[in-house]
Amino acid sequence: MSLVRVKIDDEEIEVPEGTLVITAAEKLGKSIPHFCYHERLTPVAACRLCLVEIEGMPGLQPSCATKVKDGMIVRTNTKNVLDSHKSVLDLVLETHPLDCPKCEATGRCKLEDFTYEFGPHRVSYYRPPGISAYDYEELSWSPVLKFDPNKCVECSRCIRVCDEVQDCRALVASSRGHNWRITTFTGGPLHCDFCGACASVCPTGAIEQQPGKFWKKDWELEKHFVICSHCGHGCTLLLRGWEGRIARIEDDFKVGINRANICSRGRFGFDIISHSSRLSKPLLRSDGKLVEVTWEKALFAAMEMITASHSVIGLASGMLSVEELFLFSKLLASRNGKKFSESRDGDVIEFEKKRLGRYGSTHGFDQLDSFESIVLVDIPVEELDEVLRIDLISAAKKSGAKLFTAGRASFRLKKRIAGLFKINSQTLASAPAKTLFVVDTERIEEKELSAILEKVSSDPFTGILFVAAQSNSRALSSFGFRVLPSDEISEVDLMIAAGPLQMTERPTSVKRLIASASFRNELVESADLVFPAALPFEKSGTYVNSEGRAQYSDIAVPMAGESWPDAVIWISVMKELGEATPSTPREILDEVRNNHPELFERNYPVKSSEAEPKLPSTRLAPPKRHRGLLLDKSEWLRKLQEHLDFSKEFSPWF
Amino acid sequence: MILKSVYDGIKGLIAGYAVTITKFFSRGTTVPYPEKTPFVSERWRGVHGLFFTDNRFEELCVSCHLCAKVCPSVCITMEGSEDYLQRKRLKRFDVDLGRCIYCGYCEEVCPADAIRLTTSHDYVSRDRENLILHKEDLIEIGKSAMRRGEHGALGIRRGDGKKVVYQENRNLDASFKALSGERVKR
Ligand code: SF4
Ligand code: SF4
Ligand code: SF4
Ligand code: SF4
Ligand code: SF4
Ligand code: FES
């Protein structure tokens, strides 16, 4: 792409051809007000807020829809331009309720910001207070989204994000002229994917998330980047919370593999952290009933149970972090225990090692646009990985990639499927150039498919993208956890279950059961010893997503009750048993890296500064502003202190 | 020589006693606090109160968090929530008097005139925890200040010259007087 030179307010900049004027100005650090322009969406030039003067063009031009040309001279600060900003904002404010103090959006509202910077500080069209221009009723679209039509500035970002990015088309514009208004497709409650993208792109407080509403102002909420562990995509979430509680999940276009796409599980699923059935203390079965005990007692009981057992098996969840799975497998190895998992995902590492001779998918989620055709090999995309569906749609729309399916067609992608594809020995010969095979790891063992994949991996023009359902299936496979055979667990003395599991009842052939769990469920009720485990966001750890990208997730909120991260639980159990174990995060990670380099093979981080997974150094940093003697805070600090004391005594994980 | 200094001494003594004796029989300037309540200016910046509408039925605060933001000693902590009419209202409001410097910024910034500094000035405690006023305490203080007819340290002030923005709960007469430059009578 060739570069062109443009001059913006006497400053010159070189940008690639086809760049929009507003983007070039942004690069120079100039602020041009805008509502309808958004970096993720196609420009529509509807709001006329971003007008600038361009030499040689008549009148004022919308900078969000004008591409730069070589030698273009742009002016953003002449009186004419500033007056136009002012009058457009004046017209918007005419119908605006001016409710900023009690509006959820203050602090991040674009209308507020631009009015402060450019706008009329007194509106020309005076309306007595209490009399709204429209007086529409505020609508609760769904339990997670609400809409206040009075605050809408008619930028249509929400319609476009729902259509172009999410491919849901749940929002439409109704009527024309002064009555132009956003409504749901049915006019009633919202029926959609509930991705929350519309609330995220809305420049004002018109569409807002319901959870955490009115709780805190934007400027009071902390920011933490965390990795979602609900599926194998490994999206980066921007968690906003205060004093250990979560207000909402936001997205950041610049950080993470998901490019600001988040599915409903990631966006609104954070409230499981404070679910009422969370376990807060270790439970031990005595006289047939589970009673709460101290950690010392629980660890001692675990030691007794493990030493008394001759045959041990372990069942691990793919939602645990790499470090935790590693420590759990170490514990099992020290007792010659068999390692099992519940994962539906296949042994992808084993397959890659034996058949492909390399680790990780050949291409990442962000490289889909470089292919001319993409073959979905019998894979229910939106069930496994919702954000991959969005990525596929964007590849099909933006770069014209053709989608083919071999086997089941994904329901939501049906419209975009260009044709069917047969997986047989002629597949490769008939495949168009530059093809990407998107493969469900559940099926890699199938004979024909694996033969094709073997061939593909040596072909430079085709690629393979593995998709797994669980956030750490690769680590499970690498540490040797195999799928639990449903019928044949022969008599075992002890089963140890780690992490969130789907299993609802204890296998009858198991004599004793130790479980680490976060919630009270049937499996917990049938266990002999239960450790309360911390959930993601409450603990740090590395997650290897289905591409094979290792990402580090930091601690964002304090742990619930007396729960511990699984890593700490298994370290403490091993110490109780007298086994040697790495105990600091650095030691654990180094050991994993040395023994299982395949997990870190494709560590191509989004930001170069994240090349090395960082360690939880900020864990016990004091709150930024000292706020005196407030009780809740000290409660929180007390909790942190307890964990600190514990770490001195048992393990230096923190 | 000696006589002269004796004379000077006695003169000084008499002058000194004269002052003492006159003061002894004149009216005092100090107040025997706490038996007697001292006169406090109506613009005294004392303990905060959360004020209500004139019928003392509804809170004025809209939970905008501006007082917490402006407070230079970071002594206000608050949380909002939704009330039964889906409006934004206060859930928790803590003022740490141990940190407060009684600058009155919170009153000045408040768009709803909800938080105002009252003339109440004798808030003491042996326990630091008691110096943290919660929402209920502040409402109590605000209501009693309203009963005494107080309007906060800044008095009633609203409007910007041409366009006067009144709120229904305001005492309109007093507002007009305040705007026309007259001192607010309480
Ligand atoms: S949407 Fe923005 S400008 Fe409108 S009331 Fe809310 S904060 Fe104020
Ligand atoms: S939540 Fe997502 S799917 Fe639903 S209307 Fe908003 S953008 Fe569309
Ligand atoms: S609801 Fe928000 S995003 Fe949608 S048109 Fe109105 S202001 Fe724009
Ligand atoms: S796609 Fe997967 S990783 Fe991304 S937000 Fe949804 S559940 Fe989380
Ligand atoms: S400034 Fe006034 S309205 Fe805003 S939160 Fe404080 S007391 Fe309430
Ligand atoms: S941002 Fe350019 S016209 Fe709306």
Side-chain angles (χ1 to χ4, degrees), chain A residues 96 98-100 103 105-106 109 111-112 151 204-205:
Chain A
H96 204 82
L98 302 181
D99 259 352
C100 305
C103 178
T106 11
C109 173
L111 176 57
E112 208 182 24
K151 287 176 190 159
T204 65

Side-chain angles (χ1 to χ4, degrees), chain A residues 101, chain B residues 50 60-68 76 78 90 93 106 109-116:
Chain B
L50 276 176
L60 287 172
C61 176
V62 293
S63 180
C64 71
H65 295 238
L66 287 183
C67 46
I76 302 179
M78 58 190 304
L90 267 187
F93 196 107
C106 48
V109 79
C110 181
D113 282 358
I115 191 165
R116 302 187 210 173

